[in-house]
Amino acid sequence: MKMQTEAPGGIAGKHRPRILISGGGTGGHIFPALSIAEELRDKLDAEILFVGAAGRMEMTRVPEAGYKIIGLPVAGFDRKHPLKNISVLVKLYSSMKKARKIIKEFNPEIVIGVGGYASGPVLKAAQKVGIPTLIQEQNSYAGVTNKLLAKQADAICVAYDNMDRFFPAKSIVKTGNPIRQRLLNENMTRKEALESFGLSSDRKTLLVVGGSLGALTINESLEKNIKDLAGKNIQVIWQTGKNFGNRGPEVCKGLKGVVVTPFISDMAAAYRSADLVISRAGAASISELQALGKPAILVPSPNVAEDHQTHNAMALVNRGAAVMIKDADARNKLVPEALNLLSQPEKLAEMSKNISSMAITDSAARIGKEVCRILKDSKKH
């Protein structure tokens, strides 16, 4: 794919705004960032540069999508081993210095932060020299960095209500979280989707996902109880992630109606197949479930900052849109709860209706509109 680097001129000689997008670390940050970039490239023919954290997944995913990216040596703080944070502080200082250099050389007209380690130094550097900034906060509980940056941000795009607990109310715009567009564009039927996995359309189907690396608790819950599911005539599509090795295929030997794989390449078909989804409660996953109207059991990861996945999950639970099971309880409660819900079609239908009511499916366009407003306002000054 052609890499976008410098591109003077633009469409019919129009000015091409220079836009810097910073952040990453997980798919939950990268997918929204790429969706925003695509919107801005299509609508404004913008010249886009990404800044991420060296060694993280954005350093491969962003170039694959056709954009240039620069990596910072930034790393997260280690809460369990405080002495290791000496090297983290050194990396942070180096990253801030490099961020200032990138800002000076690229001279962006706006900087967008999507969360992740690289976001802080880059937005701080931009704000220090008066460049407009926009924060895209994906979670229902804001992180420390975004709360600090928000005071000088021109807009804060959020996905949940009541975010004025963390941010200046005047700067908040509810846009939702952009999701992978191909999930919305998929038009295959449920029967076709199930057949693509070799499954039957006349049986209830449970989709289990824990991210690209996998979620150990969720995996061990399935490992312990997969025979119960298969014995109750429930089909399962189980993405184990790469860290679970061969444990999934081993325990599923001889079981019918179970598809176990480290990675699902066609998530659109997987979602379309599912009557119920088991998932972590990352912002991107929740936004996909909302957009597709999928009832879900959410198992928040206990290993995230500010326990934000629990806050994300509870925002759905309080609307009757999902069920939450704590990570510590999952090995014993997760599969029984899945069987319980799958036996109640009316309950699943109600959850589907409630989660659909929370969806915002034009999030990238809404964020693009805010970017245009800020660019227009900055030209007046």
Side-chain angles (χ1 to χ4, degrees):
M1 185 178 286
K2 187 179 177 185
M3 180 76 72
Q4 179 170 341
T5 51
E6 295 181 21
I11 296 172
K14 287 182 181 177
H15 169 69
R16 298 188 67 188
R18 293 177 309 281
I19 297 175
L20 192 154
I21 301 175
S22 180
T26 66
H29 295 309
I30 296 164
F31 294 138
L34 290 173
S35 295
I36 295 166
E38 187 177 346
E39 175 73 16
L40 297 174
R41 186 165 62 176
D42 289 349
K43 293 292 190 296
L44 302 175
D45 192 34
E47 181 184 349
I48 296 168
L49 174 67
F50 278 79
V51 178
R56 305 289 289 194
M57 64 188 289
E58 60 263 30
M59 300 307 295
T60 54
R61 292 291 177 88
V62 169
E64 284 170 2
Y67 299 94
K68 183 180 177 184
I69 185 166
I70 299 171
L72 301 181
V74 67
F77 283 94
D78 190 329
R79 291 173 169 81
K80 293 179 181 175
H81 308 95
L83 288 177
K84 290 186 179 179
N85 290 325
I86 295 169
S87 66
V88 172
L89 290 169
V90 171
K91 287 177 181 178
L92 180 60
Y93 174 78
S94 175
S95 295
M96 290 173 72
K97 192 174 175 183
K98 190 170 182 179
R100 289 195 293 270
K101 186 170 184 282
I102 293 166
I103 293 288
K104 186 176 179 182
E105 290 178 354
F106 185 64
N107 192 25
E109 290 162 59
I110 185 170
V111 175
I112 299 168
V114 296
Y117 301 141
S119 208
V122 177
L123 265 73
K124 190 68 179 172
Q127 290 176 347
K128 275 194 170 181
V129 294
I131 293 169
T133 56
L134 179 148
I135 292 169
Q136 202 255 321
E137 173 57 69
Q138 290 119 18
N139 295 296
S140 65
Y141 194 90
V144 174
T145 303
N146 277 353
K147 283 190 276 191
L148 292 172
L149 293 167
K151 293 169 187 173
Q152 292 185 56
D154 294 77
I156 303 142
C157 296
V158 303
Y160 294 89
D161 295 325
N162 305 315
M163 294 302 284
D164 53 356
R165 294 175 294 158
F166 309 110
F167 302 131
K170 64 182 173 60
S171 305
I172 295 172
V173 186
K174 191 174 179 183
T175 60
N177 290 324
I179 69 168
R180 294 173 278 187
Q181 200 60 35
R182 65 181 180 272
L183 296 178
L184 292 174
N185 295 341
E186 182 55 66
N187 56 14
M188 71 169 64
T189 65
R190 178 175 181 272
K191 185 172 185 288
E192 289 168 341
L194 284 160
E195 284 174 352
S196 74
F197 289 100
L199 299 173
S200 166
S201 59
D202 59 5
R203 292 168 65 189
K204 295 288 187 187
T205 303
L206 175 68
L207 171 63
V208 184
V209 287
S212 57
L213 298 178
L216 184 62
T217 308
I218 292 176
N219 282 337
E220 289 186 342
S221 303
L222 266 288
E223 184 180 45
K224 179 181 176 183
N225 297 288
I226 191 69
K227 289 181 174 65
D228 286 348
L229 285 162
K232 297 277 177 27
N233 213 27
I234 304 296
Q235 297 178 142
V236 182
I237 302 171
W238 176 15
Q239 177 183 287
T240 62
K242 64 181 184 181
N243 287 352
F244 205 55
N246 290 321
R247 288 169 65 177
E250 284 292 327
V251 77
C252 293
K253 273 183 183 173
L255 296 180
K256 290 184 179 179
V258 177
V259 176
V260 57
T261 176
F263 179 74
I264 298 171
S265 57
D266 190 350
M267 276 304 298
Y271 277 129
R272 187 59 57 94
S273 300
D275 296 286
L276 177 68
V277 180
I278 290 174
S279 173
R280 286 300 198 193
S285 298
I286 285 180
S287 295
E288 290 176 358
L289 293 166
Q290 289 171 336
L292 300 171
K294 289 295 169 181
I297 302 175
L298 301 171
V299 185
S301 170
N303 306 311
V304 294
E306 284 90 31
D307 194 26
H308 66 250
Q309 287 201 7
T310 296
H311 295 280
N312 291 350
M314 286 307 300
L316 273 67
V317 171
N318 291 336
R319 297 274 292 268
V323 169
M324 186 186 85
I325 291 180
K326 291 180 180 179
D327 189 83
D329 298 334
R331 286 175 181 84
N332 294 321
K333 294 184 178 179
L334 184 56
V335 170
E337 182 58 31
L339 286 166
N340 175 43
L341 288 172
L342 286 165
S343 70
Q344 300 180 70
E346 301 86 1
K347 175 72 172 173
L348 291 177
E350 181 189 352
M351 289 170 68
S352 177
K353 181 183 174 184
N354 291 341
I355 199 168
S356 292
S357 73
M358 300 178 75
I360 298 175
T361 55
D362 62 344
S363 298
R366 293 188 186 201
I367 294 167
K369 189 176 177 182
E370 277 304 298
V371 171
C372 290
R373 179 190 64 78
I374 293 167
L375 289 173
K376 189 176 177 183
D377 287 350
S378 67
K379 285 184 173 65
K380 292 177 185 175
H381 301 113

